[in-house]
Structures are given as C-alpha cells and as structure tokens.
Amino acid sequence: TQQNYGLTKINDYFKIDKYFNHDSKKLPSFALQVIKEFDPNKYSEIVKNENVELINYRSTNRFKIIDFFDLYTNEYLEPWIKDKIVIIGYLGENADHIPDIFDQNDSHNTPIGEIFGPVIIANQIQTLLN
C-alpha cells in the first residue's frame, strides 16, 4: 500500500508544529502531510521556513460541513468535494457543530472557544495554505 502518515499530536493550540519526533523519526504534522499530498508546490514553499506558525482560527461556520446523512443520500456529492481537502471526523450531535457540556468527544479548548479536533486540523491546513 502507499499510505503516507502525519501526526496529529498538538503541543499548543496557538501554534502549528510542522514536525514531530516519533520513535526516533522526524515525521510531518498531519496538516503538513495533507498539504504535501494536495499541493506539492505549496508544501515545498511551506517547509523552506522552519518557524512555528500561529494558527489563524476561523469559526466552524467558515468551513463547508457535510453531515453523514447528507453524504449518504446526496447524489450530487462529487462536485462538493472534487479537488477539495476532505477531513472526516466527529463534529458533535447538535446542528451548530459546537461542543456542549454533554458532548466532549474530541473537543478542545482553543483561543476561539471549545471546538472539535477536525476543525482544529482544518484551521491548521487553512493557515498553512494561506
């Protein structure tokens, strides 16, 4: 198989670490690996600068979110995701996709409040691409 890996370890919710040491190997962050697969030219530009990047957070409603049931029944899915980066993950039970007191699965405190892990990754990718 030809999978490529990136680590989703997060040391700080303000900064993007581009690389992590794992089992004596230097591995890229998940966000960086996604960009490498999506746009190799942008990846080359990003890795020239070794500095840690500050995450430019956007709220959940700034990303297109497709709920599972829409995915399952929508025959027009391909135009929505063609040539896009698609992140699959848990975004809670409520329609706002904002963690509440009863829904703490993969939710994290960030500078813009409590958000789910996939949204943190989306913000990291968005920051690196811009």
Side-chain angles (χ1 to χ4, degrees):
T1 60
Q2 296 185 14
Q3 292 92 345
N4 292 307
Y5 298 91
L7 296 180
T8 56
K9 179 179 174 186
I10 298 173
N11 290 330
D12 183 334
Y13 290 105
F14 292 92
K15 300 181 289 186
I16 303 168
D17 288 318
K18 294 179 185 171
Y19 297 96
F20 296 97
N21 290 320
H22 180 71
D23 292 338
S24 302
K25 280 179 67 175
K26 182 178 175 183
L27 294 176
S29 70
F30 183 74
L32 191 60
Q33 185 65 37
V34 167
I35 291 169
K36 183 178 181 181
E37 299 299 317
F38 183 72
D39 186 346
N41 292 330
K42 186 65 174 178
Y43 170 82
S44 296
E45 181 184 318
I46 292 168
V47 296
K48 286 178 187 175
N49 180 355
E50 291 270 336
N51 294 339
V52 171
E53 307 271 349
L54 292 177
I55 301 173
N56 179 18
Y57 277 103
R58 297 169 170 225
S59 61
T60 303
N61 63 7
R62 296 292 304 268
F63 298 102
K64 181 177 283 194
I65 295 174
I66 305 170
D67 286 315
F68 174 75
F69 294 109
D70 295 332
L71 232 175
Y72 184 75
T73 60
N74 195 320
E75 61 195 43
Y76 304 106
L77 180 62
E78 185 179 352
W80 291 3
I81 65 172
K82 184 174 175 60
D83 300 325
K84 305 283 191 300
I85 296 172
V86 177
I87 300 168
I88 299 171
Y90 182 75
L91 294 178
E93 299 294 328
N94 63 48
D96 295 330
H97 304 292
I98 299 171
D100 62 29
I101 195 163
F102 301 110
D103 192 13
Q104 297 298 312
N105 187 359
D106 193 19
S107 64
H108 308 274
N109 193 20
T110 70
I112 62 168
E114 194 86 6
I115 60 177
F116 289 107
V119 179
I120 294 172
I121 292 170
N123 276 291
Q124 289 178 339
I125 292 168
Q126 182 72 34
T127 299
L128 291 173
L129 284 174
N130 291 321

